Amino acid sequence: MEKFITKENLNRLAAELAATCRVLAPVADCGTVTFRRFQPGMVMDLHSRMAAVSPKAATFPQTETLLVVKREIPEKKPEIIETLPEGKNVVIGCRPCGARGKLIFDPVYETDKIKDPYYLQRRKNTVFISLACDRPETTCFCHSVGSGPADPSGSDVLLTLVGEGYVARSVTPEGEEIMKMALFADAGDKGKEADAKNAKAREMMGEAHDYASAPAKLLARFDDMDFWLAQSAKCISCGACTYMCPTCYCFNITDDDLGLSSQRIRTWDNCMSHTFTLEGSGHNPRSTKAHRLKNRVGHKFSYYPDLHKGVIACCGCGRCIKQCPAGVDIRQIVNAAQEYAE
Amino acid sequence: MNANPYLPDMATIVEVIQETHNIKTFRIVLNNEQRMKDFTFRPGQVGQLSVFGVGESTFVINSSPTRKDYLQFSVMRVGEVTTRLHQLQPGDQIGVRAPLGNSFPLEDLKGKNIVFVGGGIGMAPLRTLFTYMLDNRKDYKDITLLYGARSPADLTYKAELPEWTSRKDVNTVLTIDNPSEGWEHKVGLIPNVLLEINPKPKNTVAITCGPPIMIKFTLQALKKLGFEDQNIITTLEKRMKCGVGICGRCNIGTKYVCIDGPVFTYAQLKELPSEL
Ligand SMILES: Cc1cc2nc3c(=O)[nH]c(=O)nc-3n(C[C@H](O)[C@H](O)[C@H](O)COP(=O)(O)OP(=O)(O)OC[C@H]3O[C@@H](n4cnc5c(N)ncnc54)[C@H](O)[C@@H]3O)c2cc1C
Ligand code: SF4
Ligand code: SF4
Ligand code: FES
C-alpha cells in the first residue's frame, strides 16, 4: 500500500496512537535527539539528525522486570509471578538501521530450543514506522552491511520525505492496518519522487565496502594482541558504544530486594566493562580493554556471521563511531584486520 | 525447564552438608511432585540456583541421574549468592532452573577405562559421572579416581570417601599437598601423583576438573602419559547469566559455554580461540 501523509498529520498520528499504545518518537532534548514516550503536544524532531540512542528499547528495554517473587515469611513459601510485557508499542520516525537492529536479535532470542517470551511478546506488539534517510552522515555505512538508507526490512511502514509530507509505504500487514487511518491520503504520483529521493540518498553514500573477508580475517588476528592493543589504545572502556548500539543484545540479570517481595530484573549489559567476565578466582579471560574490544568487534563481524548465515551483526548506523568519546571507529578496525598483510 | 526459560521451579532444601570450611552440599527436592518425578538430566549438566532477592548462580548437578530422591549441588562460598546460600537451612525455599548445558559423552565412554582427576570443588562434576558409573559398573572397564585437595580438611564428600576407597571395583587414590598427621593416603600435587599412578592411555578416557592451574599441569601430565587430545575431557567454568545462549556473557568466539559446554574435549578446546 502506498499513501501520503502531511507533516501535521504525522504528528496527529502520533497523538492518536498514543491514546492506545506506547509511542516512542525522536525529540530534541538538551542538544541531542533521543527517543521519548510521545505525549500529545510534543514536537517530534525527525530531521535535524539521527537520534543518539537507537530505538531498541521498544523491543528490549534498558531495564525490565522478568519475575516478581512474593515471600510470606511465616509460611516461607514464595510465589513467583511472571511479568510478561503487556500493551502495544509504536516507534515513529526511527531510521531504517534502528528498525533493523531487532533482526539481529531474532535468531538469538528465538531458536528451536529456546524462546525468550519477554522479547518475543514485545517484538510481536511493536510497530516501526521508519523514515528513509535523505542525508546520510559520514559515519553511516548501512550500504556496506547489506542494507541502505531506504531499506524497508525491519520496518512496518517506510516514510520518504517528499515536499511537506511523506510518501508512506506499508511493509507488513500491521503497517498496512495503520495506514488505513484517515490521516493518510492518496499518494497520487508522489511515489516516483520518493523513489528518486531514495536513489539519490543511496548514491550519496558512494561505493559499499566489502566485508566478506572480515569473519576469517578477524579470527586470524585473534592471538595478535599487538594488533588489538593498537586498535584499542584510545578506548576508555566507557561502554557508550554498547548502550547506543541497536544490535548489542547482551544483558545482565539481577535481583532487587523489596522486603516482602523481590524482583528479578534484566538490564542492558556492557561487554566493554572489566567485570563482564571477571571470575571468582580473580581470573578474567578478557582482562584488558584490548581483549574486550576484540570481542565486541569479533562478535559483530566474525562470530555472529559464522553462526547466522553470514549476516553481520551491525546495521551500519555509525552510532558507536559518533558517540565514542575517544574516536574509536569500528570500520577502521575491521578494515585494518581485512587489510592486514600476513 | 519451563517454557519461560527464566522461570525457576520452586524447591525445598532437604539436607545441608558442611563439606569444608567454605563448601556446603545442598540436597533439594522440587516442590511440584510430578516435575520432580519427571526430572531427567545427564551427568555434566548444570543448574541455576536462586536465592530470591539476592540472585542466581550456576552450579553443576552432582547427584547421579540414577539416584532420584533429590538433586545435589555443592557450593563454594565466594560472593553474594553463594554466601546467602550458605546461610540456608533444611526447609528453606530456593529456585532452580535445570538442567542446562551439554553433558559428558556417556555413549562414547562405554567399554572404556576411565581415569578421573579431580581437584578441590572440581570434584563436583566428576562426582556425578563417577556415581553414575558405579551404578552402571558393568558398562565400563577399569575405573580410577584420583582426587586431591590442599589438606584433609579441604576434601569434599568425606562421607563417601570410605566407600570409594574400599570398593574393589574402582581404584581410588586420594592425595593432599603437604603431609598431615593421621593421613594414610598419598601426599603430593595431583599431576605428580597422576604420573606415579601411570595410567595407560590405550582405550582410556581421562576426565578432569579443578582449579585452572591444576588443569594446566594435569593436561601436561596426561600428554606425557600419551593421552590423545580427544580422550581428555574437562569442564569449563565461565561466568554465566541466562544459561540458555541469549545473554551473550559466556562466549569463547562462536561457542557459548552455557549451551555448547560446559563439557569439552581437549581437542575441542584447542579448536577454540585462546580465551580461557
Ligand atoms: C558451568 C559452571 C558450573 C559451576 N559449578 C559450580 C559448582 O558446582 N560449585 C561451585 O561452588 N561453583 C560452581 N560454579 C561457579 C559459581 O557459579 C560461582 O562461584 C558463583 O556464581 C558465584 O556467585 P556469587 O553470587 O556468590 O558471586 P558474586 O558475588 O557474583 O561474585 C563473587 C566473585 O565471583 C565471580 N563470579 C561470579 N560468577 C562466576 C562464575 N560463574 N564463575 C566464576 N566466577 C564467578 C565474580 O566475578 C566475583 O569476582 C560453576 C560455574 C559455572 C559457569
Ligand atoms: S556496531 Fe556501531 S555502527 Fe554497528 S549497529 Fe552498533 S552502533 Fe551502529
Ligand atoms: S564508546 Fe569508545 S571509548 Fe567507550 S567503550 Fe566504546 S570504543 Fe571504548
Ligand atoms: S550464560 Fe547467557 S549466553 Fe551463556
Side-chain angles (χ1 to χ4, degrees):
Chain A
M1 184 189 285
E2 182 176 280
K3 293 254 173 125
F4 184 78
I5 185 164
T6 62
K7 284 184 173 174
E8 289 95 72
N9 275 356
L10 190 68
N11 225 62
R12 280 190 200 112
L13 177 74
E16 272 189 40
L17 291 171
T20 54
C21 311
R22 190 167 150 266
V23 175
L24 289 177
V27 294
D29 187 8
C30 303
T32 185
V33 176
T34 182
F35 284 94
R36 287 269 183 266
R37 181 157 184 176
F38 185 89
Q39 311 283 2
M42 270 164 81
V43 183
M44 294 193 277
D45 182 351
L46 296 173
H47 298 288
S48 71
R49 69 187 93 168
M50 181 168 76
V53 294
S54 82
K56 77 174 163 189
T59 42
F60 182 57
Q62 189 157 7
T63 304
E64 77 181 304
T65 305
L66 300 178
L67 309 166
V68 170
V69 182
K70 292 194 172 162
R71 278 174 289 178
E72 303 290 336
I73 294 297
E75 287 89 52
K76 282 186 166 178
K77 288 273 181 211
E79 179 197 352
I80 311 183
I81 301 156
E82 295 171 80
T83 49
L84 288 164
E86 285 167 6
K88 297 216 177 278
N89 304 307
V90 181
V91 179
I92 299 187
C94 64
R95 304 299 168 95
C97 54
R100 290 180 75 247
K102 63 183 185 294
L103 303 182
I104 302 302
F105 281 58
D106 287 345
V108 177
Y109 280 68
E110 182 175 23
T111 68
D112 300 342
K113 292 193 189 117
I114 289 291
K115 302 193 177 357
D116 186 308
Y118 304 88
Y119 172 76
L120 293 177
Q121 191 122 321
R122 282 207 179 76
R123 175 78 168 84
K124 191 176 78 190
N125 290 329
T126 305
V127 170
F128 285 82
I129 304 177
S130 311
L131 173 64
C133 294
D134 58 353
R135 283 177 295 135
E137 302 178 37
T138 54
T139 45
C140 293
F141 60 107
C142 56
H143 63 316
S144 299
V145 291
S147 179
D151 183 352
S153 64
S155 300
D156 296 279
V157 175
L158 185 69
L159 306 173
T160 303
L161 180 68
V162 172
E164 281 311 297
Y166 309 91
V167 168
R169 285 172 174 152
S170 64
V171 185
T172 64
E174 290 79 11
E176 192 160 328
E177 203 51 43
I178 287 184
M179 282 175 57
K180 285 180 186 157
M181 290 168 72
L183 295 165
F184 289 86
D186 192 61
D189 58 2
K190 292 195 181 69
K192 273 197 210 110
E193 224 177 305
D195 287 340
K197 282 202 76 165
N198 290 342
K200 186 160 156 256
R202 173 62 191 85
E203 209 175 292
M204 282 162 76
M205 297 191 77
E207 211 177 308
H209 177 80
D210 185 357
Y211 284 115
S213 72
K217 290 285 193 173
L218 282 164
L219 214 51
R221 294 267 63 72
F222 197 92
D223 289 323
D224 183 354
M225 284 317 284
D226 288 341
F227 176 85
W228 292 105
L229 274 170
Q231 297 303 330
S232 65
K234 294 188 283 188
C235 172
I236 56 167
S237 299
C238 69
C241 49
T242 63
Y243 295 126
M244 303 298 152
C245 176
T247 68
C248 273
Y249 61 72
C250 291
F251 59 80
N252 197 359
I253 303 178
T254 51
D255 274 23
D256 197 8
D257 196 350
L258 306 167
L260 281 182
S261 70
S262 65
Q263 288 184 24
R264 177 149 296 167
I265 54 182
R266 85 161 148 204
T267 41
W268 294 353
D269 210 342
N270 161 28
C271 64
M272 302 299 275
S273 145
H274 174 68
T275 55
F276 193 75
T277 48
L278 177 65
E279 291 169 19
S281 57
H283 172 69
N284 193 340
R286 295 187 204 129
S287 53
T288 70
K289 60 184 183 177
H291 292 91
R292 300 191 285 275
L293 189 64
K294 172 171 73 175
N295 185 65
R296 181 165 192 272
V297 178
H299 179 241
K300 291 190 186 299
F301 285 85
S302 178
Y303 321 147
Y304 186 100
D306 274 354
L307 288 171
H308 301 289
K309 303 179 184 140
V311 174
I312 294 171
C314 162
C315 41
C317 72
R319 283 188 172 88
C320 58
I321 305 166
K322 246 198 313 190
Q323 307 300 336
C324 175
V328 175
D329 187 332
I330 195 166
R331 296 171 298 187
Q332 285 171 8
I333 300 172
V334 182
N335 290 358
Q338 285 184 287
E339 284 160 14
Y340 195 89
E342 293 294 336
Chain B
M1 283 284 289
N2 287 298
N4 177 348
Y6 305 102
L7 180 66
D9 279 311
M10 287 308 306
T12 304
I13 296 177
V14 292
E15 197 177 342
V16 181
I17 302 162
Q18 180 89 44
E19 302 278 9
T20 72
H21 76 284
N22 66 353
I23 299 174
K24 282 188 181 183
T25 290
F26 296 86
R27 294 182 169 164
I28 66 165
V29 171
L30 302 185
N31 290 356
N32 183 319
E33 274 175 41
Q34 193 58 44
R35 283 181 70 84
M36 184 68 200
K37 244 177 82 191
D38 296 344
F39 189 89
T40 53
F41 69 101
R42 288 167 54 97
Q45 289 194 288
V46 303
Q48 292 269 12
L49 298 188
S50 287
V51 185
F52 296 110
V54 185
E56 210 177 25
S57 271
T58 318
F59 306 95
V60 67
I61 310 172
N62 70 58
S63 46
S64 166
T66 47
R67 306 187 190 181
K68 300 203 63 171
D69 299 341
Y70 50 78
L71 298 172
Q72 177 168 307
F73 299 87
S74 299
V75 177
M76 186 159 91
R77 193 181 63 234
V78 294
E80 269 193 79
V81 174
T82 50
T83 299
R84 280 295 285 273
L85 273 168
H86 271 234
Q87 294 164 355
L88 299 181
Q89 308 287 334
D92 283 341
Q93 300 290 303
I94 59 172
V96 195
R97 291 195 291 134
L100 302 168
N102 75 349
S103 58
F104 293 108
L106 287 179
E107 293 73 19
D108 301 347
L109 297 176
K110 274 196 181 167
K112 298 258 164 77
N113 303 310
I114 309 289
V115 178
F116 289 100
V117 187
I121 185 76
M123 190 55 216
L126 302 190
R127 182 194 184 274
T128 325
L129 188 57
F130 183 67
T131 40
Y132 177 89
M133 287 183 170
L134 293 184
D135 290 348
N136 295 280
R137 187 63 192 86
K138 58 176 184 353
D139 290 345
Y140 308 93
K141 293 221 160 105
D142 295 348
I143 297 181
T144 303
L145 167 65
L146 168 58
Y147 173 33
R150 213 167 296 153
S151 72
D154 291 310
L155 286 166
T156 45
Y157 314 122
K158 282 191 208 58
E160 288 157 291
L161 295 181
E163 191 211 324
W164 293 355
T165 46
S166 62
R167 271 181 84 131
K168 294 277 169 288
D169 58 350
V170 290
N171 173 26
T172 301
V173 180
L174 305 177
T175 182
I176 55 171
D177 290 359
N178 297 303
S180 168
E181 226 182 283
W183 178 253
E184 297 163 350
H185 306 274
K186 299 258 178 207
V187 176
L189 295 175
I190 292 167
N192 299 340
V193 178
L194 177 63
L195 289 173
E196 207 180 297
I197 301 174
N198 193 20
K200 299 282 162 283
K202 192 160 181 271
N203 197 34
T204 305
V205 177
I207 303 166
T208 180
C209 188
I213 186 82
M214 174 218 124
I215 296 275
K216 190 176 157 200
F217 289 107
T218 299
L219 287 176
Q220 286 177 9
L222 287 168
K223 292 309 291 176
K224 204 185 262 180
L225 291 167
F227 279 80
E228 292 191 25
D229 294 345
Q230 71 269 20
N231 291 332
I232 303 174
I233 298 175
T234 186
T235 80
L236 289 187
E237 198 190 300
K238 284 253 157 188
R239 252 189 118 151
M240 284 173 37
K241 279 290 165 185
C242 71
V244 291
I246 304 180
C247 77
R249 170 88 46 169
C250 67
N251 77 302
I252 305 171
T254 56
K255 293 280 183 260
Y256 286 79
V257 172
C258 68
I259 47 177
D260 303 312
V263 177
F264 293 92
T265 64
Y266 190 40
Q268 288 169 327
L269 288 188
K270 278 189 163 170
E271 292 283 302
L272 293 180
S274 47
E275 197 177 66
L276 292 181

